Amino acid sequence: QVQLEESGGGLVQAGDSLRLSCAASVGTFVTYGVGWFRQAPGREREFVAGASWTGIQKVYADSVKGRFTISRDNAKNTVFLQMNSLQPEDTAVYYCAADRYGVGTAEVHEYESWGQGTQVTVSS
């Protein structure tokens, strides 16, 4: 099982951009699908974006399509989430996760490895 660590969160203003990173601190997730999820206070964890182990197949939540981009650099064992045009409703703790089936599904229960999360706060 891989261990994941997110970074890159912070406090930004509406319209700004952030890039989150997720690195495997133990193990490798080259053959894993990867996903980004987020959880706002009082709300359930929700899917944001996912990518297959090749990085070719990608899927996004409707709320972030056209604004967020998931990518991966398997040589560096790292996954990224580029977030543009951030809005206050994007405020949440963002988690990356690894799916050993290599799919990068939107289903939270398909992932068995999770990072600790990084806070993203967008002010209006």
Side-chain angles (χ1 to χ4, degrees):
Q1 191 175 30
V2 298
Q3 293 185 15
L4 306 175
E5 183 172 352
E6 305 92 339
S7 61
L11 171 63
V12 297
Q13 293 186 331
D16 285 351
S17 298
L18 275 176
R19 188 174 83 154
L20 305 183
S21 299
C22 172
S25 57
V26 176
T28 176
F29 57 22
V30 170
T31 61
Y32 284 60
V34 292
W36 285 97
F37 292 78
R38 66 187 181 187
Q39 188 165 18
R43 301 187 66 176
E44 292 187 354
R45 191 168 298 189
E46 65 173 357
F47 171 77
V48 175
S52 63
W53 72 276
T54 62
I56 296 175
Q57 284 78 37
K58 300 178 182 179
V59 61
Y60 297 93
D62 288 343
S63 58
V64 306
K65 278 182 183 177
R67 300 189 299 126
F68 291 12
T69 302
I70 186 171
S71 62
R72 62 190 301 166
D73 185 339
N74 284 343
K76 296 182 178 179
N77 219 15
T78 304
V79 178
F80 304 98
L81 184 68
Q82 177 67 42
M83 306 186 295
N84 299 329
S85 302
L86 283 162
Q87 299 301 316
E89 52 266 34
D90 295 316
T91 295
V93 177
Y94 283 71
Y95 300 89
C96 68
D99 141 39
R100 64 189 173 94
Y101 298 104
V103 177
T105 175
E107 300 297 327
V108 64
H109 64 271
E110 295 287 344
Y111 293 85
E112 70 271 4
S113 298
W114 293 83
Q116 293 299 307
T118 185
Q119 176 71 46
V120 172
T121 303
V122 185
S123 63
S124 58

